[in-house]
């Protein structure tokens, strides 16, 4: 997620040929996607395995990132560059849905499996780890996009998520099976 935010401005400038301040093109649809995921999960979450939802959301996130990476070349080849912004808006909605489908069940599990006394410490620890993990994409994404190109970084990271989600779930299957 933070890689997308880090590379958002260069992607807007280089790929979409828009001003770096046009982040609303991605942020508004992604927010709509997250709200959609929250609404759908509040209604249908009891029917879905949280473990499968998490893996599917990771794969969806990776697929969106990969599509953001390859779409400029595909649309250019099809002489349809005018569709790039529309495609990015649609992909941002899917990205937001996937992000919501990862975060909402994960935080629900934490709330369900912690006591009131320890909940603050656990969530504080989680957010500390998340904030520390933000440093990695912030430090690597910019230089990688300058060394290669922004859409190649999206494609590579998307591919890692598409492959990594199911692979990571395999050794953890016994542990995440409790996420029903």
């Amino acid at each position: 997620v933070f890689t997308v935010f880090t590379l958002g401005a260069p992607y807007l400038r280089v790929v979409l040929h828009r001003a770096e301040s046009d982040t609303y093109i991605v942020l508004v649809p992604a927010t709509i996607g997250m709200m959609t995921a929250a609404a759908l999960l509040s209604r249908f979450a009891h029917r879905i395995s949280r473990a499968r939802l998490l893996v599917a959301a990771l794969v969806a996130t990776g697929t969106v990132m990969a599509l953001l990476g390859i779409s400029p070349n595909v649309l250019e080849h099809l002489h349809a560059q005018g569709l790039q912004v529309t495609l990015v808006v649609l992909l941002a909605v899917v990205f937001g849905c996937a992000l919501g489908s990862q975060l909402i069940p994960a935080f629900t599990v934490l709330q369900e499996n912690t006591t009131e006394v320890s909940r603050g410490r656990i969530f504080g620890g989680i957010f500390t780890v998340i904030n520390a993990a933000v440093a990695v994409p912030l430090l690597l994404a910019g230089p990688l996009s300058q060394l290669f190109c922004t859409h190649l970084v999206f494609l590579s990271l998307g591919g890692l998520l598409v492959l990594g989600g199911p692979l990571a779930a395999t050794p953890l299957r016994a542990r995440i099976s409790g996420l029903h």
Side-chain angles (χ1 to χ4, degrees), residues 158-174:
L160 286 174
L161 281 174
V162 167
L163 297 173
L167 286 177
T170 302
L172 300 174
R173 187 145 334 265

Side-chain angles (χ1 to χ4, degrees), residues 3-51:
T3 302
V4 171
F5 291 134
T6 302
L7 295 177
Y11 190 87
L12 286 167
R13 183 177 33 81
V14 174
V15 177
L16 298 181
H17 309 291
R18 302 289 296 240
E20 291 182 354
S21 59
D22 288 347
T23 55
Y24 65 88
I25 291 171
V26 175
L27 295 180
V28 170
T31 302
I32 291 168
M34 285 184 69
M35 292 183 333
T36 301
L40 291 172
L41 287 173
S42 71
R43 186 156 175 97
F44 301 110
H46 63 281
R47 298 181 187 173
I48 304 168
S49 161
R50 291 179 187 162

Side-chain angles (χ1 to χ4, degrees), residues 18-109:
R18 302 289 296 240
E20 291 182 354
S21 59
D22 288 347
T23 55
Y24 65 88
I25 291 171
V26 175
L27 295 180
V28 170
T31 302
I32 291 168
M34 285 184 69
M35 292 183 333
T36 301
L40 291 172
L41 287 173
S42 71
R43 186 156 175 97
F44 301 110
H46 63 281
R47 298 181 187 173
I48 304 168
S49 161
R50 291 179 187 162
R52 288 183 186 189
L53 179 62
L54 179 60
V55 172
L58 285 171
V59 170
T61 301
T63 301
V64 167
M65 289 182 72
L67 287 172
L68 286 170
I70 63 171
S71 64
N73 293 335
V74 170
L75 292 175
E76 184 178 328
H77 182 71
L78 297 174
H79 305 290
Q81 293 95 330
L83 296 176
Q84 185 69 24
V85 172
T86 303
L87 180 61
V88 167
V89 167
L90 293 173
L91 290 173
V93 171
V94 175
F95 184 82
C97 284
L99 180 60
S101 296
Q102 291 170 43
L103 295 178
I104 293 167
F107 287 129
T108 301
V109 167

Side-chain angles (χ1 to χ4, degrees), residues 98-145:
L99 180 60
S101 296
Q102 291 170 43
L103 295 178
I104 293 167
F107 287 129
T108 301
V109 167
L110 283 175
Q111 287 179 344
E112 290 174 349
N113 293 305
T114 57
T115 63
E116 274 190 49
V117 175
S118 65
R119 193 168 295 141
R121 286 188 303 250
I122 290 172
F123 273 92
I126 294 277
F127 286 116
T128 300
V129 170
I130 290 171
N131 287 332
V134 168
V136 174
L138 293 177
L139 292 173
L140 295 178
L144 285 174
S145 72

